[in-house]
């Protein structure tokens, strides 16, 4: 019986291997006439089941079994490479949770904080410079 189940599993896995390869997950690049390249990215899920048993027959050993497999390919994003070298990931569909939106906003928030700190520092330096100039003018 074990050889029969191994055969069923082997055939199932081989068929899945034929259907799913790296080009299924990260697709072939598509280039537009303007020079922009788009690369599709997909989520691939697969599963299989198999089973069997020896049948109690006097004359010969009989085996009965079966297997099944399924594959789901779902597009999730596109990698867009513009002709100026800018790369962007464009996700398909909405965010799966509010936390995803928060995590996506963090880089922009960090840039705003850096800009705010730089503005404060520049204003402080300008104020110190003006104070120094007014002190120099009062000495004259």
């Amino acid at each position: 019986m074990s050889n029969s189940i191994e055969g069923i599993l082997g055939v199932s896995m081989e068929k899945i291997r034929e259907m799913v390869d790296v080009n299924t997950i990260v697709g072939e690049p598509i280039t537009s006439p303007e020079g922009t390249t788009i690369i599709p990215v997909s989520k691939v899920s697969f599963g299989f089941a198999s089973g069997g048993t020896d049948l109690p027959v006097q004359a010969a050993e009989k085996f009965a079994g079966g297997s099944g497999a399924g594959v789901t390919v779902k597009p999730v994003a596109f990698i867009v490479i513009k002709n100026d070298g800018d790369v962007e990931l464009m996700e398909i569909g909405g965010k799966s949770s509010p936390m995803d939106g928060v995590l996506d906003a963090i880089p922009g928030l960090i840039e705003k904080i850096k800009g705010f700190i730089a503005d404060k520092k520049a204003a402080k330096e300008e104020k110190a410079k003006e104070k120094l100039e007014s002190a120099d003018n009062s000495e004259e």
Side-chain angles (χ1 to χ4, degrees), residues 28-121:
E28 293 290 324
I30 303 163
T31 304
S32 72
E34 295 84 31
T36 300
T37 302
I38 301 170
I39 304 170
V41 180
S42 299
K43 175 183 177 182
V44 178
S45 303
F46 67 92
F48 64 93
S50 170
T53 186
D54 287 326
L55 296 174
V57 176
Q58 299 291 338
E61 185 176 315
K62 299 282 183 175
F63 174 79
S67 70
V71 176
T72 302
V73 179
K74 179 182 175 188
V76 294
F78 293 97
I79 300 171
V80 180
I81 306 169
K82 297 179 182 170
N83 55 1
D84 63 358
D86 189 30
V87 178
E88 183 179 352
L89 179 68
M90 298 179 68
E91 294 182 61
I92 297 174
K95 303 290 181 204
S96 59
S97 73
M99 187 57 86
D100 288 341
V102 171
L103 292 175
D104 288 344
I106 288 175
L109 183 61
I110 290 172
E111 289 302 316
K112 286 181 181 181
I113 291 171
K114 284 181 182 178
F116 179 73
I117 292 170
D119 290 345
K120 285 288 193 182
K121 186 176 180 181

